Amino acid sequence: MSLTQAMYAASVGAFNNQQRLDVLTNNLANINTPGFKQDRLVFRVPVESEKEGGSQTSYLQGSASPIPSGARTDFSQGMLRHTDNALDLALDGTGFFCIQTPEGKHYTRNGRFTVNEDGVLATMGGHPVLGKGGEIRIDGSDVSVDEEGNVSVDGNEVGTLKVVSVSQPASLKKMGNTLFASGGSDEKEAEGVKIREGYLETSNVNSIKVMTEMIDISRSYESYQKTIQFLNDATKKSINEVGRLA
């Protein structure tokens, strides 16, 4: 491997580690966000045709090495934390609450709800939470929700929460504030999921694991930086020696 190829490989390694660190930092920043789902950076090995596509740097790549192909969301369930708030709802099982936003219907696992200025059940951002019949109006003080999602106000049933599963969770797109857009995935009524009133699903981020990974990545990044500096010095030395010989 030439000095130029080695410099390229070290630069790519440093860049990949920086991207991994960015994803882990965002996960750690949302460790206390209810319903947050962590991301993992996914790598793939480029096929030969990608290196022969006329790129000016293709000759540097040598043998195929993994390259980032984007972040993938881990939809595994977080732990359920008791809050004793009747409007805090957690999904125990696979599924999503449906939220109506100005951009259309979105999905979330964050069940920290409230009653908005229009008197309907809503997210903390004010977006209506959808029931099977549309928005759910809360006109009263005593609110209760059973395991099937039936919402009662002062003893009278006012609606049933719309909880769905999607055919391709990997296609869901994060929209911020723990909301997901469909990404073209089909939905159907969720099966086997229970709604826990007075609970919130915590983030599925494992803080100890993430911090351990961040330490390892930081050390690896520093190693790449030192390698780049060494190769840079070696290149300068080679250029100077060639100059003297000439």
Side-chain angles (χ1 to χ4, degrees):
M1 178 182 289
S2 67
L3 282 176
T4 305
Q5 287 179 315
M7 179 72 80
Y8 179 85
S11 299
V12 170
F15 177 73
N16 289 349
N17 274 279
Q18 182 61 58
Q19 287 194 298
R20 290 176 62 197
L21 194 60
D22 290 343
V23 171
L24 291 174
T25 299
N26 183 64
N27 288 341
L28 195 60
N30 285 280
I31 193 169
N32 293 318
T33 303
F36 177 80
K37 299 303 173 189
Q38 67 178 341
D39 291 320
R40 306 290 296 181
L41 191 63
V42 177
F43 292 82
R44 65 183 178 83
V45 177
V47 296
E48 196 65 26
S49 60
E50 291 181 279
K51 297 195 298 176
E52 298 174 351
S55 169
Q56 295 180 355
T57 61
S58 60
Y59 75 97
L60 297 172
Q61 297 179 24
S63 59
S65 57
I67 59 175
S69 63
R72 299 289 176 85
T73 303
D74 172 11
F75 287 99
S76 62
Q77 182 171 317
M79 296 179 61
L80 304 188
R81 175 172 60 86
H82 186 244
T83 66
D84 206 27
N85 183 337
L87 293 181
D88 285 343
L89 305 175
L91 295 176
D92 189 0
T94 302
F96 297 91
F97 294 111
C98 295
I99 310 298
Q100 186 63 50
T101 76
E103 293 75 34
K105 182 170 62 178
H106 288 167
Y107 306 111
T108 188
R109 293 279 300 188
N110 185 352
R112 177 174 283 173
F113 299 141
T114 185
V115 179
N116 67 13
E117 58 185 12
D118 296 321
V120 301
L121 188 66
T123 65
M124 299 304 291
H127 302 311
V129 180
L130 295 178
K132 293 182 178 180
E135 298 178 359
I136 299 176
R137 182 163 296 278
I138 307 297
D139 186 12
S141 57
D142 184 13
V143 181
S144 63
V145 183
D146 65 20
E147 290 186 346
E148 304 302 319
N150 300 309
V151 183
S152 297
V153 179
D154 294 335
N156 299 312
E157 189 172 309
V158 296
T160 301
L161 289 166
K162 183 179 178 67
V163 179
V164 302
S165 61
V166 295
S167 57
Q168 298 178 323
S171 69
L172 296 180
K173 299 178 181 178
K174 281 190 172 183
M175 305 301 293
N177 297 317
T178 67
L179 294 175
F180 294 89
S182 71
S185 185
D186 295 327
E187 69 171 45
K188 65 177 182 179
E189 185 174 348
E191 298 178 357
V193 61
K194 300 294 183 182
I195 297 176
R196 307 300 183 187
E197 182 184 32
Y199 287 82
L200 285 175
E201 180 184 356
T202 63
S203 163
N204 65 355
V205 177
N206 184 321
S207 60
I208 296 177
K209 183 178 180 180
V210 169
M211 287 189 287
T212 300
E213 286 187 60
M214 290 177 70
I215 292 172
D216 289 341
I217 292 172
S218 295
R219 289 174 177 169
S220 178
Y221 184 77
E222 290 175 1
S223 296
Y224 279 119
Q225 285 184 312
K226 291 179 180 178
T227 300
I228 292 171
Q229 184 60 53
F230 171 80
L231 293 171
N232 187 54
D233 293 342
T235 301
K236 288 181 179 179
K237 183 178 179 180
S238 297
I239 293 173
N240 290 334
E241 290 180 350
V242 170
R244 284 198 297 270
L245 290 173

